[in-house]
């Protein structure tokens, strides 16, 4: 906890707001999306969906193929507690809804479904978006599928299995204009997913990497992602790293306080 606090204080010292951004594309994104209020009706629906999970006292046996949990000490976990402490935060959920609403992607890939809260945020941002979401744990993916069914969400395909297998299979001969990376929080896996997904990009693709300051490995992975020749613009908002591949843009990296 102390390390992440130090990282955040360092980030604040190095970051800026829209006034330090001269790229028209990035300036518009920051002022019209990142700094905009979340539509109240969409946020109200998200809170309703989250409450459904917070009210669920059933337990699941979690299969974790990643870096493990910093909170839970065993694999038997109550759904309500997962939603409360390990699900997407309200701040991130608001941002995710706004970003999807702003860019209106048609095809999205999510690496790390968990209980389905972040998937729900994507679907709320654009109800017409077709989503493929990957989850390592069969029991939590079942909870997510039930959540989607209960809220009448269509065109969401949940694929369960280890990411080392499901990521390459999911991106084969596909094109995604939005990818949310919230899987294994280590350098090797993150870069493997990054490289596997590169074949799916188009000029308007937007990728979001969760928890880029989670540990030293994630910081190293983020550094390598920014340096990749196909990456043109990145926006570091501390909790996320946002990546663009717009060929008409000069290569620029921003640290933005949100």
């Amino acid at each position: 906890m102390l390390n992440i606090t130090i990282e955040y204080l360092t980030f604040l010292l190095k970051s800026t707001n829209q006034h330090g951004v001269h790229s028209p594309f990035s300036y518009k994104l920051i002022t019209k999306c990142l700094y905009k209020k979340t539509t109240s009706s969409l946020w109200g629906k998200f809170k309703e969906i989250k409450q459904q999970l917070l009210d669920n006292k059933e337990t699941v046996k979690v299969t974790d193929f990643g870096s493990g949990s910093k909170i839970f000490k065993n694999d038997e976990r109550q759904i309500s507690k997962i939603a409360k402490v390990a699900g997407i935060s309200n701040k991130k959920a608001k941002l995710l809804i706004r970003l999807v609403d702003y860019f209106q992607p048609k095809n999205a890939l999510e690496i790390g479904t968990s209980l389905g809260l972040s998937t729900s945020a994507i679907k709320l941002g654009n109800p017409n978006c077709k989503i493929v979401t990957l989850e390592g744990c069969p029991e939590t993916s079942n909870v997510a599928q039930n959540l989607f069914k209960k809220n009448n969400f269509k065109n969401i395909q949940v694929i369960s299995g280890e990411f080392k297998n499901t990521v390459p299979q999911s991106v084969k001969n596909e094109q995604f204009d939005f990818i949310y990376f919230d899987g294994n929080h280590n350098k090797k896996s993150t870069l493997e997913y990054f490289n596997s997904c590169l074949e799916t990009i188009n000029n308007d693709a937007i990728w979001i990497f969760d928890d880029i300051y989670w540990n030293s490995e994630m910081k190293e992975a983020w550094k390598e992602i920014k340096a990749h020749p196909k990456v043109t613009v990145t926006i570091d908002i501390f909790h996320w790293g946002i990546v663009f591949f717009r060929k008409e843009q000069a290569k620029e990296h921003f640290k933005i306080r949100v």
Side-chain angles (χ1 to χ4, degrees):
M1 181 63 74
L2 178 61
N3 285 345
I4 202 72
T5 302
I6 294 171
E7 291 285 359
Y8 186 61
L9 291 174
T10 303
F11 168 83
L12 290 177
L13 290 172
K14 296 181 178 180
S15 60
T16 185
N17 55 24
Q18 75 272 24
H19 300 298
V21 176
H22 303 294
S23 158
F25 168 79
S26 300
Y27 182 86
K28 184 179 178 184
L29 169 61
I30 293 165
T31 56
K32 302 295 184 182
C33 176
L34 298 184
Y35 285 173
K36 186 181 176 183
K37 284 193 69 173
T38 308
T39 303
S40 59
S41 59
L42 298 180
W43 181 239
K45 180 60 179 175
F46 178 84
K47 288 194 295 182
E48 178 186 316
I49 293 168
K50 186 172 183 177
Q51 192 62 48
Q52 293 167 16
L53 293 173
L54 293 172
D55 291 339
N56 191 334
K57 305 305 179 185
E58 294 179 11
T59 60
V60 292
K61 186 174 182 179
V62 175
T63 305
D64 197 333
F65 297 105
S67 301
S69 173
K70 291 183 177 181
I71 300 165
F72 296 104
K73 303 304 180 186
N74 57 63
D75 55 6
E76 286 285 344
R77 303 171 192 175
Q78 196 172 62
I79 291 170
S80 60
K81 290 183 179 178
I82 298 174
K84 183 177 181 179
V85 302
I88 188 171
S89 69
N90 286 348
K91 181 175 182 177
K92 287 181 181 178
K94 287 180 179 179
L95 283 168
L96 193 53
I97 292 170
R98 294 204 300 272
L99 280 163
V100 175
D101 185 36
Y102 182 81
F103 285 106
Q104 289 292 294
K106 296 180 176 65
N107 295 289
L109 173 66
E110 178 185 35
I111 303 174
T113 316
S114 188
L115 300 178
L117 276 176
S118 52
T119 326
S120 299
I122 295 170
K123 180 56 76 170
L124 289 170
N126 181 11
N128 297 317
C129 183
K130 179 181 177 183
I131 304 171
V132 175
T133 182
L134 312 180
E135 174 53 41
C137 174
E139 292 200 22
T140 51
S141 66
N142 286 337
V143 174
Q145 290 186 78
N146 290 333
L147 186 74
F148 304 149
K149 185 177 181 180
K150 184 174 182 178
N151 291 280
N152 201 31
F153 287 152
K154 307 296 185 183
N155 292 320
I156 300 178
Q157 181 184 9
V158 183
I159 300 174
S160 182
E162 290 193 64
F163 295 152
K164 66 180 181 181
N165 301 319
T166 58
V167 171
Q169 292 166 3
S170 299
V171 301
K172 192 173 183 180
N173 301 319
E174 293 289 343
Q175 190 173 71
F176 294 101
D177 40 15
F178 189 95
I179 303 182
Y180 184 48
F181 296 81
D182 187 17
N184 299 341
H185 288 55
N186 62 66
K187 179 181 179 180
K188 182 176 182 293
S189 297
T190 299
L191 292 178
E192 283 178 355
Y193 307 152
F194 171 81
N195 286 309
S196 293
C197 292
L198 280 174
E199 62 185 80
T200 75
I201 61 172
N202 57 49
N203 200 59
D204 296 321
I206 169 176
W207 291 9
I208 299 173
F209 290 86
D210 189 54
D211 289 331
I212 55 174
Y213 291 93
W214 176 268
N215 52 33
S216 59
E217 287 196 14
M218 286 302 292
K219 287 173 62 180
E220 290 172 8
W222 176 240
K223 185 177 180 180
E224 290 195 23
I225 289 166
K226 291 195 299 179
H228 193 279
K230 288 189 176 181
V231 171
T232 53
V233 176
T234 68
I235 298 179
D236 174 354
I237 60 171
F238 188 75
H239 304 291
W240 285 345
I242 307 174
V243 174
F244 298 94
F245 303 88
R246 295 163 57 84
K247 294 177 181 178
E248 67 273 25
Q249 299 286 140
K251 197 172 184 75
E252 290 184 287
H253 307 296
F254 303 102
K255 288 179 183 285
I256 302 296
R257 295 186 294 274
V258 176

